[in-house]
Structures are given as structure tokens and as C-alpha cells.
Amino acid sequence: MGPIAAMAASGEAVGVIPDAEYDLAGAITKLVVGSDVEIGQTVTTGASGQAELLFSDGTKLVVGPNSSLLIEDYLFRGDGNAGKLAIDALGGTFRFITGSMAKSSYEVNTPTGTIGIRGTIFELFVALSGDALVTLLEGKVKLCGKHANKCQDVQIEKRHICGVGFISLSETGFSNITPKSFGGYFPYLISQDSLRKDFRVDWAEKCFKELAEEGIPIVGLSVSAH
């Protein structure tokens, strides 16, 4: 039997808090539990909306309130051959938990750069300016900012867990944020009550407590909340 290619539907919405919808080829449809997730869909949530997406390879993705995300590409091969999941985080807040594909198969694009994923759980915030903040909970990510038409890499790994990396229009680096603004960027590190149990991370809320003790502000970022 040959390789098992992805089905027309790459996954499904397994948890939805209205207001949430998806746009596929200009047709806007209300997102509900059981809705298919397909290549080319843009998932958008309102001020109180939320979508929990489960892909065929087991990848879990949360689209938080006031957020928008495009499913750019998806290919899952159940025989262990190379697959791919590429998404464009257009704005808002997200949680990403990788599934069973090879670590190099995952890619998250933001307006100012790319996040290479290496078997990972992380939180992502993309501001109106296009700047992005990333908090690592497990594994490793590689931030590649598009500065002067070249890639400026910053690797976030185990020793940086609960720290914050950023990609802005001018630079890529590390920072931390104050407890006062933490919830606006990473609300699921404050409370996971709205998430299904399989989308929660046991130690996630510990990150907020650790950063609250440090109280180090972000410097040099334009991160207007969505």
C-alpha cells in the first residue's frame, strides 16, 4: 500500500465558544463543534470567541479571542513519511501543541517572521503591528525574524522555558513581561478553564507565577493588544 495522503479535511473543531467563524474561498461559515478544518481556511474569533482545532496527526491548536489564523498547508502521512503543517498566525493569541509528525514538519508564520518548531508546546501572541511574542512551555522553537531581507535566528529551548522571545519589525530576541500585561498576551497561562482537558498544560500557570516574581518589563516592542 502506498503513502496515506491527507484527507480533504485536515482535522476538525473539537471545541468552540461563539463567536467563531471560518472563511474558505470567500464563503464565511459559522464554526461549530465538528466543523472540518481544511487547507485554505481562515479561522476568526470575536471578542469572546475561541476555537480548539484538532488535526489528523494529533496537533492541537487553540485560536483565542479576537484572533485570526490561516491554515496554509497540511499533509499528514500515516506511514511515517514526511508530512507538513504550515499556518499563518495573522493576529491575536494562540496555543500550539505538536502532534506525531516529524519535528521539522511544523511551521508557524507571523507578519514579521517564522517560528520553526522542534517538538513543542508554546503560546503565541501576534500584535496589530505584526510583532510577535512567544512563551515556550516544552521543547524548542526557533524564531526567524525578517530583518533587512535576512533571517535573524533566536533559539528558545529548555533553559528558556517560561521566558518570552519576540520577533519585531527591527529585531529578534528575548524579553519578559510584567504581570500587569501578561494576561493580555497569554491568557491561557492565567486560566485554562475555557479549554478542554486535552488542550490544557498542567504546569502552564506556573509560568505566570514565575514571571510575576521577576516583574521584568518588555523593552522596545510595539505590542498593541487585539
Side-chain angles (χ1 to χ4, degrees):
M1 182 179 294
I4 303 172
M7 299 177 292
S10 304
E12 67 174 323
V14 296
V16 177
I17 298 176
D19 173 29
E21 62 186 24
Y22 65 88
D23 182 337
L24 183 61
I28 298 176
T29 306
K30 184 178 178 64
L31 190 70
V32 297
V33 172
S35 293
D36 287 339
V37 175
E38 304 176 35
I39 296 173
Q41 278 186 354
T42 298
V43 177
T44 303
T45 59
S48 60
Q50 174 182 283
E52 293 166 284
L53 309 180
L54 178 63
F55 291 83
S56 302
D57 72 305
T59 294
K60 300 179 179 71
L61 177 62
V62 180
V63 183
N66 277 338
S67 301
S68 183
L69 176 140
L70 169 66
I71 311 299
E72 183 179 294
D73 197 5
Y74 186 77
L75 176 65
F76 173 53
R77 297 183 182 275
D79 60 358
N81 289 324
K84 183 176 183 181
L85 172 58
I87 62 172
D88 295 345
L90 305 175
T93 184
F94 310 91
R95 169 172 287 181
F96 196 98
I97 303 174
T98 55
S100 62
M101 290 193 293
K103 297 174 182 178
S104 59
S105 300
Y106 301 95
E107 181 177 283
V108 177
N109 302 306
T110 74
T112 54
T114 300
I115 303 170
I117 302 169
R118 302 295 180 261
T120 300
I121 303 173
F122 68 93
E123 308 276 317
L124 170 65
F125 172 81
V126 179
L128 290 171
S129 64
D131 295 349
L133 300 175
V134 178
T135 294
L136 183 67
L137 298 178
E138 181 180 289
K140 185 185 299 184
V141 296
K142 185 176 182 181
L143 309 183
C144 178
K146 301 171 183 176
H147 315 306
N149 296 319
K150 64 180 181 180
C151 177
Q152 179 181 348
D153 283 345
V154 170
Q155 188 156 289
I156 308 177
E157 48 197 4
K158 185 175 181 179
R159 62 192 176 91
H160 302 125
I161 286 178
C162 293
V164 177
F166 68 85
I167 308 172
S168 74
L169 293 173
S170 59
E171 61 181 324
T172 303
F174 292 96
S175 189
N176 281 317
I177 61 179
T178 61
K180 182 178 180 180
S181 57
F182 197 86
Y185 303 127
F186 307 115
Y188 301 117
L189 302 190
I190 304 297
S191 173
Q192 303 182 92
D193 290 349
S194 65
L195 301 178
R196 283 174 31 137
K197 289 184 178 180
D198 54 335
F199 281 71
R200 298 177 187 178
V201 180
D202 291 342
W203 59 93
E205 294 171 31
K206 181 181 177 183
C207 285
F208 170 72
K209 295 177 183 177
E210 290 186 357
L211 291 180
E213 292 174 357
E214 296 178 16
I216 303 173
I218 272 181
V219 178
L221 275 183
S222 173
V223 285
S224 303
H226 259 59

